[in-house]
Amino acid sequence: MALGTMCSAFPVFLTGALGVQLADEVGLSATEIGLAMGASFAVAALLSAPMGRVAERLGPRLGFRLGLSVSGATMLAVAAFGRSFWQFCVILAVAGAANALNQPSANLMLTTHIGADRLGFALATKQSGMPAAALLGGAAVPAIALTVGWQWAYVAGAAIVAAALVCLPVDAHGRAERHFSTTASGARRAARPDLGVPLLVLYATVGMLGSTSAGAMVGFVTSGAEASGLDAGSAGLVLSVGSFVGVVSRLFQGWQVDRHGILPIQRLVWLYGLGGLGTLLLAVDVPLTYVIAPLPAFAFGWAWPGLFNLSVVRNNPSAPASATGISQVGVFVGAAVGPALGGLIIDTAGYRALWLFGASTLLLGCALAVYLRTRIRAASGLVAPAIAP
């Protein structure tokens, strides 16, 4: 599942990692590469809610297979036809549509296959595919792009998609039938989320604030470290080590929630708050802070997505795919806005202003998550909702 999730994000992360090669051989500027990547996340945000309903209707296996197949096809299309800015925009936009289907399909598959006592760790493992895609994209540059050519990096990505398709379970569609209801005419209709749309929009807003900060941090922590005085090699290690710490923290947080029965939204509040403080430390903007601050910034500020989805699916057992399709809109919007707005902030006010902005979005998200927790309690009438399956 983590492999499939990684493949969903691989087309856009690989494009970012190959920025130098695409600039030299295709003629794309840094702005054009950023816009093409933003187009992918923008389309994903636009289609996330309807794709959640599609996943409910198709079932998780068929939805995930369809989305992954399109993801693989887009990487082959980039390798074969990606020779201009507009071609990259169109192809990555299609990849974004596939990602919008893959995310709720994967969430639905996990909820129908994994017991409630292990679902936190399972979702954390699935969400680890995103930072893993960033790590693998960086590794593809020296291993493939600089040896046989950048096109073959996309071909290798398509081969990984094929491996992920082979590994998918074969019975997920049948087990997802409990998410369907039947109309008077006998037609199948996807169930509706248990929480109202306003609460899901509130979830999406919390996710948007977190992913805006994460997108800016992932996009610019390397260049910020180099601008502060670190050499290029050390600056690159800042992102690699930070991403690794983020993966480990995601898995640990999921395991702890399962083991100790912690309310996911409560742990998310702490992660946002501590991540905001770690990002605030980056605003000191000297070489030493780029060595120290990324550890808490990534360990907390980018470790929340698994718990975020866990909270959504536990509060919407009737239609987890539809619910996460709505909540994921905010995550995709933040992923698109973070790098674009971060670049504008750097150009106008510098890196210190960027990290102050990133810290403020996480701390605001922390406060909003506290409010969301109280709204969920009021809506459900429970003292501690979403702990039991």
Side-chain angles (χ1 to χ4, degrees), residues 213 217 268-285 289-290 292-302 352 355-367:
S213 177
M217 183 167 58
L268 184 143
V269 168
W270 282 100
L271 291 177
Y272 269 51
L274 294 173
L277 295 178
T279 307
L280 189 62
L281 184 58
L282 280 171
V284 179
D285 200 27
T289 58
Y290 282 95
I292 299 173
L295 298 180
F298 278 89
F300 303 121
W302 207 27
R352 181 169 296 172
W355 305 131
L356 290 174
F357 167 74
S360 66
T361 60
L362 278 175
L363 294 175
L364 177 60
C366 175

Side-chain angles (χ1 to χ4, degrees), residues 91-111:
I91 297 172
L92 290 183
V94 175
N99 196 12
L101 177 60
N102 287 334
Q103 297 299 327
S105 296
N107 293 333
L108 181 58
M109 187 178 297
L110 289 177
T111 58

